[in-house]
Amino acid sequence: MAGVPASLSGRDVGSFAYLTVKDRIPQILTKVIDTLHRHKSEFFEKHGEEGVEAEKKAISLLSKLRNELQTDKPIIPLVEKFVDTDIWNQYLEYQQSLINESDGKSRWFYSPWLFVECYMYRRIHEAIIQSPPINYFDVFKESKEQNFYESQESIIALCTHLQQLITTIEDLDENQLKDEFFKLLQISLWGNKCDLSLSGGESRSQKTDVVNSLENLKPFILVNDVEHLWSLLRNCKKTREKASVISVYIVLDNSGFELVTDLILANFLLSSKLATEVHFYGKMIPWFVSDTTIHDFNWLIEQVKHANHKWMSKCGADWEDYIKMGKWVYHDHIFWTLPHEYCAMPQVAPDLYAELQKAHLILFKGDLNYRKLTGDRKWEFSVPFHQALNGFHPAPLCAIRTLKAETQVGLQPGQGEQLMASEPSWWTTGKYGIFQYDGPL
Ligand SMILES: O=P(O)(O)OC[C@H]1O[C@](O)(CO)[C@@H](O)[C@@H]1O
Ligand SMILES: [Mn+2]
């Protein structure tokens, strides 16, 4: 692609991409294999000998995958028929066509990191769907659930905070409402620290009191465009006709604690009338360990509803009502688990692009969404976000991300260089975060 920098790649020895392909991804694969092993008796109870055979088959396919990766074998086409198989295989050919060195084959360490990392999760899915009758099995379900359970205290604190806020929301003046909006946005940002793929699938639950940590975390927000979000939604609210809709779309990231923070924010948007509808976008297949699928979304709301805590269960009951009333709508689309950068959406998934164009505001949660928004490239730190989006402008949008990959745009001159000098791992640990807006000001 002309005019854009090179992709991050495992070929840069010592880079975060390299270490991810070399260590983190195989570690995740080993954990997946172990999970299947541990469910052997469950498969036997459910499906008899056939279940055990299927478990063996899935494990052998995954072991083969791990071997391909560790010996840097060529990336091979997908074989099992699924809704996205053809698109994936076309993309594989496209990646191959870009190569003019070595033997002209895409390889794990040689090819763009975004591509091979997505491909790995898609191959895990392939191993599962090739192994009926256990082809429904979500290999990451346990860790997602564990993250939720381990974050109980923080979740109770958040639900209590929200419910108390709602009882006085009508009495708040503009500034107070804005402050509360900013607080819940920050909670949703820091909720993104809790993904499970960065930690190789190990638990990264939320144990501290987030609401009271926000002030201390403020210095770690490197780009903070929340004022634009406020102006945008407040203007929508002021100018809207009685019957008209204000819709905020949230492109979700991780289930567990992060999803709770997103739902709390979505609840506030309705209660404050800053939005009349919230649309959520999740993943169609298990993805990057902790990403939200429809099962995770429904499961989590059910858990919150049945919690043994007054305010928590109130939240769960309200959320279920929002869904029943159509004020909250969950969608999935296969595009979110393709390897394409988002600037390709109008060509690859025009229906989804047209849908997103209806939003008043789109919030993109998490690191992977940021990588796909900006193409996972070696951009200069000071390149404007608008430019890095490379033509992807369906509606006003905001990336809400803690930094877990070596790519960041839209910084002040010298800001990135300074961080680099004082703290070389600043952009890969999740310690820093951004609210980066693109749209009319
Ligand atoms: O859940 P998030 O915020 O998208 O983070 C996932 C991130 O974790 C990692 O997979 C770690 O490898 C990053 O590559 C990726 O961007
Ligand atoms: Mn994720």
Side-chain angles (χ1 to χ4, degrees):
M1 212 180 294
V4 293
S7 303
L8 299 180
S9 162
R11 68 200 283 186
D12 298 323
V13 177
S15 67
F16 187 70
Y18 167 81
L19 292 172
T20 301
V21 180
K22 184 168 124 346
D23 302 328
R24 212 169 284 113
I25 295 184
Q27 193 185 334
I28 287 169
L29 268 177
T30 303
K31 252 200 131 202
V32 169
I33 292 171
D34 175 62
T35 303
L36 283 164
H37 264 306
R38 280 188 296 100
H39 283 77
K40 193 176 181 161
S41 46
E42 177 194 314
F43 297 142
F44 180 72
E45 275 158 33
K46 275 198 183 146
H47 314 284
E49 250 336 291
E50 235 193 308
V52 177
E53 285 309 310
E55 180 245 19
K56 276 191 207 148
K57 180 170 181 194
I59 288 178
S60 95
L61 290 167
L62 291 166
S63 307
K64 180 176 167 288
L65 172 63
R66 188 173 50 185
N67 179 271
E68 286 171 30
L69 196 172
Q70 288 181 321
T71 53
D72 202 19
K73 290 271 176 350
I75 305 280
I76 54 173
L78 299 175
V79 289
E80 185 70 19
K81 195 90 204 100
F82 191 64
V83 273
D84 61 352
T85 311
D86 293 341
I87 311 178
W88 261 101
N89 286 342
Q90 275 165 24
Y91 188 83
L92 261 49
E93 279 178 26
Y94 160 73
Q95 279 297 335
Q96 200 140 310
S97 74
L98 300 179
I99 296 174
N100 40 29
E101 296 167 45
S102 85
D103 59 359
K105 294 233 176 340
S106 301
R107 286 171 191 276
W108 292 87
F109 284 85
Y110 187 84
S111 298
W113 174 35
L114 177 63
F115 159 46
V116 294
E117 201 175 20
C118 290
Y119 174 77
M120 198 271 302
Y121 287 99
R122 182 60 180 80
R123 282 283 301 275
I124 294 179
H125 184 64
E126 179 164 87
I128 298 297
I129 58 176
Q130 279 184 296
S131 309
I134 63 161
N135 47 356
Y136 58 86
F137 188 69
D138 178 350
V139 291
F140 303 123
K141 183 165 168 265
E142 262 181 4
S143 9
K144 290 183 270 196
E145 294 185 358
Q146 190 191 353
N147 172 282
F148 174 82
Y149 292 130
E150 288 180 355
S151 310
Q152 280 305 291
E153 272 182 48
S154 298
I155 294 174
I156 289 176
L158 284 187
C159 292
T160 307
H161 177 84
L162 177 76
Q163 291 302 332
Q164 284 169 352
L165 172 60
I166 290 174
T167 53
T168 58
I169 206 158
E170 301 287 342
D171 310 326
L172 300 184
D173 64 29
E174 284 260 300
N175 275 330
Q176 289 170 319
L177 198 66
K178 178 163 100 170
D179 281 350
E180 293 302 335
F181 177 47
F182 288 178
K183 261 190 213 163
L184 296 182
L185 279 168
Q186 287 170 71
I187 289 171
S188 165
L189 166 67
W190 298 120
N192 180 245
K193 262 189 184 175
C194 299
D195 86 281
L196 299 171
S197 69
L198 186 66
S199 55
E202 292 306 316
S203 172
R204 265 167 75 95
S205 53
Q206 180 60 44
K207 299 205 175 73
T208 53
D209 176 359
V210 250
V211 186
N212 290 315
S213 321
L214 294 180
E215 272 312 307
N216 298 335
L217 290 170
K218 271 208 176 126
F220 301 107
I221 303 177
L222 300 177
V223 179
N224 197 344
D225 290 340
V226 288
E227 286 285 348
H228 298 315
L229 305 187
W230 169 256
S231 315
L232 180 95
L233 293 179
R234 193 209 35 201
N235 286 344
C236 288
K237 180 176 166 182
K238 277 195 176 152
T239 54
R240 109 182 158 107
E241 303 285 318
K242 263 232 152 358
S244 75
V245 167
I246 308 171
S247 53
V248 173
Y249 290 22
I250 306 181
V251 181
L252 294 171
D253 186 7
N254 304 308
S255 186
F257 182 71
E258 180 172 357
L259 179 57
V260 173
T261 66
D262 298 335
L263 298 181
I264 297 265
L265 174 65
N267 191 338
F268 172 82
L269 288 171
L270 293 187
S271 307
S272 60
K273 304 192 175 68
L274 286 167
T276 60
E277 276 178 13
V278 182
H279 294 256
F280 301 96
Y281 285 84
K283 307 292 194 292
M284 268 179 86
I285 62 173
W287 197 244
F288 279 68
V289 187
S290 35
D291 284 17
T292 308
T293 64
I294 182 68
H295 302 288
D296 303 324
F297 187 85
N298 290 336
W299 178 87
L300 183 135
I301 292 178
E302 206 50 30
Q303 293 297 311
V304 174
K305 187 181 158 192
H306 292 115
N308 194 9
H309 184 278
K310 183 173 145 196
W311 296 129
M312 195 167 156
S313 59
K314 169 84 168 69
C315 281
D318 288 351
W319 298 348
E320 211 175 69
D321 287 343
Y322 294 150
I323 294 169
K324 279 190 194 133
M325 293 186 289
K327 292 184 175 184
W328 279 9
V329 188
Y330 180 95
H331 312 255
D332 42 28
H333 194 289
I334 202 66
F335 181 80
W336 304 115
T337 47
L338 291 176
H340 301 72
E341 22 189 328
Y342 290 163
C343 62
M345 191 190 287
Q347 290 78 48
V348 180
D351 55 329
L352 178 61
Y353 194 77
E355 231 174 271
L356 296 189
Q357 284 178 309
K358 295 183 202 147
H360 289 87
L361 172 67
I362 314 172
L363 304 177
F364 284 90
K365 286 296 316 282
D367 193 70
L368 180 62
N369 271 323
Y370 192 78
R371 291 171 58 195
K372 288 184 160 191
L373 282 167
T374 56
D376 211 35
R377 295 175 182 280
K378 298 177 187 175
W379 295 103
E380 299 280 332
F381 297 130
S382 57
V383 161
F385 185 42
H386 189 82
Q387 185 185 330
L389 287 169
N390 202 13
F392 180 72
H393 310 290
L397 62 87
C398 183
I400 302 178
R401 162 231 193 185
T402 60
L403 280 64
K404 294 174 238 166
E406 290 172 334
T407 186
Q408 182 60 51
V409 297
L411 296 184
Q412 296 300 318
Q415 195 183 4
E417 289 76 3
Q418 214 167 28
L419 282 159
M420 206 61 160
S422 59
E423 212 179 327
S425 65
W426 66 282
W427 49 356
T428 54
T429 56
K431 174 176 168 186
Y432 292 92
I434 52 144
F435 293 100
Q436 201 155 36
Y437 173 78
D438 178 68
L441 297 177

